[in-house]
Amino acid sequence: MGAADGDGYERFRPSEADADARLAEAASGRALCVWMTGLSGSGKSTISGVLSSCLRAQGLPCYSLDGDVLRRGLNRDLGFTDADRSENIRRTAEVARLMVDAGLIVIVSLISPFRVDRAFARSCFAPDRFCEVFVDAPLAVCEQRDPKGLYARARRGELARMTGIDSPYEPPEQPELHLHTDADNAVECGEQVLSWLIGSGLISGRAAMAQVRVAGERR
């Protein structure tokens, strides 16, 4: 029997209806994208780590997409021009959308300095499947932390197009959450994100709040 006669291995071509069905299934569960934006050193990755540890402890499928990790792999061919930064966001948003489609809670940690690029990322998701989190700390605080030494290099003229120094950062105008990491520690910020998730009916409250404290203590 030839392939044309139907041998059970006919080519499978996903249709738009298939994609719509998967998205509807994801929307009926807990899948969403938590997009953390802010200056380098503001605390995005730290808060993401606390949050993801808590969610996993609750048995919730989640994955963290960290900007530094992505630039060592998927986005290693990109630099820091405005065009490359936009492409960095586009690729990350598309990957996050596939993961949400698969039913995961995706935590993205990217500087993502431009509003137009963050608007594109938001457009990839249903309105109730995207949470923009502004991880805010004054530039002076970020420079004092400087975990990767990038600000020091930029101030010495060794690093060009550093966001906050010689490349702009456009703060979110209406984020779902605005965290102030110069005032609140990572656990307190994680609790604020969890409160939003609980308020959205995505996870149960009491156990989750207890778990975030445990997650913070382990870091």
Side-chain angles (χ1 to χ4, degrees):
M1 176 170 26
D5 299 320
D7 59 3
Y9 294 97
E10 292 84 2
R11 184 184 299 246
F12 174 71
R13 295 177 179 172
S15 67
E16 290 186 5
D18 294 326
D20 289 343
R22 292 196 304 273
L23 288 171
E25 182 179 0
S28 67
R30 297 169 169 141
L32 81 155
C33 177
V34 178
W35 191 285
M36 296 192 180
T37 173
L39 293 173
S40 177
S42 60
K44 301 181 297 298
S45 296
T46 304
I47 297 168
S48 173
V50 170
L51 183 60
S52 62
S53 294
C54 171
L55 294 172
R56 290 192 187 100
Q58 289 294 300
L60 299 175
C62 68
Y63 194 86
S64 296
L65 291 173
D66 186 83
D68 290 340
V69 175
L70 289 167
R71 281 191 173 273
R72 292 197 295 268
L74 177 66
N75 298 334
R76 65 179 178 274
D77 60 318
L78 300 177
F80 292 92
T81 65
D82 289 354
D84 280 356
R85 289 178 187 271
S86 294
E87 177 62 11
N88 185 39
I89 301 307
R90 188 194 70 79
R91 292 182 192 179
T92 303
E94 295 289 1
V95 170
R97 173 164 61 179
L98 291 173
M99 289 183 165
V100 169
D101 185 0
L104 277 69
I105 297 174
V106 182
I107 307 167
V108 176
S109 303
L110 288 179
I111 293 174
S112 38
F114 302 129
R115 294 189 186 105
V116 65
D117 296 328
R118 298 195 301 268
F120 168 80
R122 181 183 290 274
S123 74
C124 292
F125 303 88
D128 60 345
R129 298 290 116 186
F130 187 87
C131 173
E132 183 179 48
V133 180
F134 180 21
V135 183
D136 190 7
L139 177 61
V141 172
C142 294
E143 286 198 65
Q144 184 178 17
R145 293 171 180 167
D146 203 8
K148 292 170 280 189
L150 299 179
Y151 289 108
R153 290 179 58 198
R155 292 297 188 188
R156 293 195 300 265
E158 300 170 0
L159 183 65
R161 304 192 66 81
M162 177 70 186
T163 302
I165 304 297
D166 58 353
S167 185
Y169 178 79
E170 299 172 354
E173 295 178 323
Q174 292 183 312
E176 277 72 18
L177 288 170
H178 188 166
L179 307 179
H180 297 273
T181 64
D182 57 326
D184 299 324
N185 62 38
V187 171
E188 292 166 337
C189 288
E191 287 178 341
Q192 293 176 52
V193 179
L194 278 172
S195 292
W196 186 89
L197 294 174
I198 293 166
S200 299
L202 295 168
I203 58 176
S204 61
R206 183 178 300 176
M209 281 301 189
Q211 199 65 51
V212 75
R213 288 283 173 182
V214 174
E217 291 169 359
R218 289 174 178 169
R219 293 187 66 82

